[in-house]
Amino acid sequence: MSKVIKLKKGFNINLAGQAERKVAGEVMPETFALKPTDFWGIQRPKVLVKEGDTVKAGTPILFDKANPKVQFVAPVSGEVVEVVRGAKRKLLEIRILADKQLVYEEFPKLSASELSALPREEAVELLARSGVWPHLVQRPYGIIASPDVTPRAIFISTFDTHPLAPEYDFLLKGQERYFQAGIDMLKRLTDGPVHLGIHADAELSPVFADVKGATLHKFSGKHPAGNVGVQIHHIDPINKGDIVWTINPVGVVQIGKLLVDGRYDSSKLVALTGSELTTPQYIKTWSGAQVGKLIGNGVKAGELRYISGNVLTGTNVGREGYLGFHDNMVTVIPEGKYYDFLGWLKPTADKLSFHRSFGLLSFLRPNKPFVVDTNLQGEERAFVQTSSYGKVVPMDIMPEYLVKAIMAEDYDGMEALGIYEVIEEDLALCEFIDVSKHDFQAILREGLTLMQYS
């Protein structure tokens, strides 16, 4: 075990609505959806099914013509009821009316000894055609990993410090066998190490404590200490030309289920969180579940925002939308469509702010859970020069100058300022504290796209 890496920069957003550590039951909505918009890097999606087709869980329904080896598969079995397209026929969703009893495509089961003898090419082919490959994300750029590339290393963060985020030790309780099988497979994909980032201030879960074949690193600090990008920066930073992969623990378990059970099993625990839920809790469901059915009638009155994911990086999907491929939580908060008279000039202890000049009274109650809404407290304005951004990014980069380099399309500047080390989640706190109301995450994605295709 390595020494503890203590991160001093960051900011914890303490919100009301943390899910209670118990599973309320299993929820099987009528419809599920696979959304290409959940994945960066898909260039030319090709739909393999049409409305009325019957599919099994694990049946390929989509691939990218630019990366045809990687198949995107049905999360459940049933009938394809709708292929949803947007402007310019952009593919948005493939919706499936789920069977009451799921039927699975069958894949080969592999023992530990068989897996250890499996050639890398065959391991890649199995993962790519079975639907679990999209869990693997390439850094830099935060895109789906290419099967034709061998990464320098693979990184996994075993804890999440985003607001109201679920705890992986609870999500994966009792799934030690699957997690170990997933780690064994990941070792076949790289010539380097598999790194696990561990929370130094929490009890180590048996799922991660007894894992073999991975290097453990302890981290302590405020959010974004749980971001895998921050952990990569402090373990083995990414330089120009380097390629590493990341995967979250739930994805590792799904790989393990494929190997042990011989099927694509997208079932998982999902945390239902947020101040506007009457009973924040965990439920069992499947990837791509319809959000409104997961929540049911357990919401408070008023106009609400339904987020697949967390409040910093999640997607506003609405009550009729669907759970994202990578998301293990749904957050419900109030909409903020109102004018706040005097705004931040009013002395109050009910507003959460990083800046003490605005939210001084809130600092007198540091453990108070806050109820936040989507009100921006002002409009976009000129970029205010401030040193605050660097205080919430525990990396040796300068976020403010990086964003300005992106806006100026300064390629050399972007490279020198560390764009290869970050994706949207790493600068999400900058967006939260930004008094200029700039969309840091969208700007960063523009820069990443410029660098990727330059």
Side-chain angles (χ1 to χ4, degrees):
M1 177 71 70
S2 63
K3 66 179 182 180
V4 176
I5 300 173
K6 298 180 179 180
L7 305 179
K8 297 181 179 179
K9 297 179 180 180
F11 183 63
N12 287 333
I13 301 176
N14 189 16
L15 301 185
Q18 185 74 49
E20 186 179 354
R21 285 175 62 104
K22 67 177 184 180
V23 181
E26 181 178 295
V27 180
M28 170 65 83
E30 286 83 5
T31 59
F32 292 76
L34 177 70
K35 301 181 291 182
T37 51
D38 288 338
F39 312 96
W40 289 114
I42 294 183
Q43 300 176 42
R44 294 179 292 160
K46 172 67 175 179
V47 180
L48 298 174
V49 293
K50 61 182 183 298
E51 294 179 11
D53 285 353
T54 300
V55 296
K56 298 179 181 179
T59 299
I61 60 176
L62 173 73
F63 74 94
D64 182 6
K65 291 181 180 179
N67 191 9
K69 293 181 181 179
V70 178
Q71 302 288 314
F72 298 83
V73 304
V76 294
S77 62
E79 179 187 350
V80 178
V81 291
E82 189 173 8
V83 177
V84 182
R85 296 185 181 273
K88 298 182 180 179
R89 291 188 55 76
K90 179 181 179 180
L91 181 63
L92 302 180
E93 296 173 348
I94 300 176
R95 297 179 182 174
I96 298 171
L97 180 65
D99 293 331
K100 299 298 182 183
Q101 187 69 35
L102 296 185
V103 181
Y104 296 88
E105 295 281 0
E106 296 297 328
F107 297 95
K109 300 178 183 179
L110 297 176
S111 65
S113 59
E114 290 173 328
L115 179 58
S116 64
L118 188 69
R120 184 184 187 278
E121 295 74 17
E122 294 182 21
V124 168
E125 190 273 336
L126 173 61
L127 298 184
R129 67 183 171 89
S130 62
V132 296
W133 188 273
H135 284 290
L136 292 164
V137 177
Q138 175 192 303
R139 296 288 188 106
Y141 311 128
I143 59 177
I144 296 174
S146 170
D148 299 323
V149 174
T150 300
R152 186 189 70 193
I154 298 177
F155 294 82
I156 306 164
S157 175
T158 66
F159 65 103
D160 192 341
T161 51
H162 284 96
L164 302 177
E167 300 175 29
Y168 281 121
D169 68 323
F170 185 74
L171 293 181
L172 306 182
K173 184 178 180 181
Q175 305 201 53
E176 292 86 349
R177 183 187 180 194
Y178 294 132
F179 190 81
Q180 182 62 64
I183 293 294
D184 292 341
M185 174 57 89
L186 294 178
K187 289 168 58 183
R188 307 296 301 160
L189 304 181
T190 178
D191 296 329
V194 175
H195 297 284
L196 290 186
I198 304 294
H199 201 313
D201 303 323
E203 183 179 353
L204 187 56
S205 167
V207 178
F208 311 125
D210 301 326
V211 70
K212 297 179 177 62
T215 304
L216 274 58
H217 306 267
K218 284 189 174 183
F219 290 84
S220 69
K222 301 176 182 179
H223 180 67
N227 283 10
V228 70
V230 171
Q231 296 175 11
I232 294 172
H233 177 83
H234 290 275
I235 296 171
D236 191 7
I238 301 172
N239 297 308
K240 183 178 181 180
D242 291 340
I243 290 180
V244 303
W245 292 352
T246 69
I247 183 172
N248 70 48
V250 174
V252 177
V253 166
Q254 288 197 1
I255 291 176
K257 290 179 177 178
L258 173 72
L259 302 174
V260 174
D261 298 335
R263 58 175 56 173
Y264 175 75
D265 183 359
S266 70
S267 64
K268 56 185 175 180
L269 292 186
V270 173
L272 305 180
T273 68
S275 61
E276 302 312 291
L277 292 182
T278 55
T279 309
Q281 59 193 355
Y282 287 86
I283 54 97
K284 178 184 177 182
T285 190
W286 286 258
S287 181
Q290 205 267 319
V291 168
K293 297 297 182 180
L294 299 182
I295 294 172
N297 297 321
V299 293
K300 300 177 183 178
E303 189 173 359
L304 307 176
R305 177 165 297 190
Y306 296 83
I307 303 169
S308 177
N310 63 76
V311 294
L312 286 178
T313 64
T315 304
N316 177 16
V317 297
R319 185 176 175 87
E320 301 305 315
Y322 295 86
L323 183 70
F325 180 86
H326 296 287
D327 295 331
N328 305 308
M329 64 184 297
V330 173
T331 310
V332 184
I333 60 175
E335 285 286 2
K337 297 179 180 179
Y338 60 89
Y339 175 72
D340 189 10
F341 180 65
L342 294 181
W344 288 105
L345 295 178
K346 295 183 297 184
T348 177
D350 295 326
K351 286 187 177 180
L352 174 66
S353 175
F354 173 78
H355 306 280
R356 295 203 175 196
S357 57
F358 296 139
L360 178 59
L361 294 180
S362 67
F363 279 84
L364 301 177
R365 303 172 64 186
N367 297 321
K368 173 188 175 182
F370 288 86
V371 175
V372 299
D373 57 34
T374 63
N375 196 308
L376 294 179
Q377 305 290 336
E379 71 288 337
E380 186 175 333
R381 61 204 71 168
F383 216 131
V384 177
Q385 191 76 18
T386 174
S387 62
S388 297
Y389 308 109
K391 296 178 181 178
V392 296
V393 181
M395 305 168 75
D396 294 329
I397 64 172
M398 294 182 285
E400 181 177 5
Y401 294 100
L402 172 59
V403 168
K404 288 183 176 182
I406 295 171
M407 297 171 81
E409 297 189 8
D410 178 0
Y411 290 83
D412 291 337
M414 286 187 273
E415 184 176 304
L417 290 164
I419 194 170
Y420 295 130
E421 293 210 63
V422 292
I423 62 171
E424 290 89 334
E425 66 177 17
D426 300 313
L427 298 190
L429 272 179
C430 296
E431 185 175 308
F432 175 77
I433 70 168
D434 182 26
V435 296
S436 302
K437 315 300 178 184
H438 285 91
D439 192 342
F440 268 67
Q441 297 180 73
I443 295 171
L444 177 58
R445 176 48 58 182
E446 292 175 5
L448 291 170
T449 302
L450 287 173
M451 296 299 290
Q452 181 182 355
Y453 296 108
S454 63

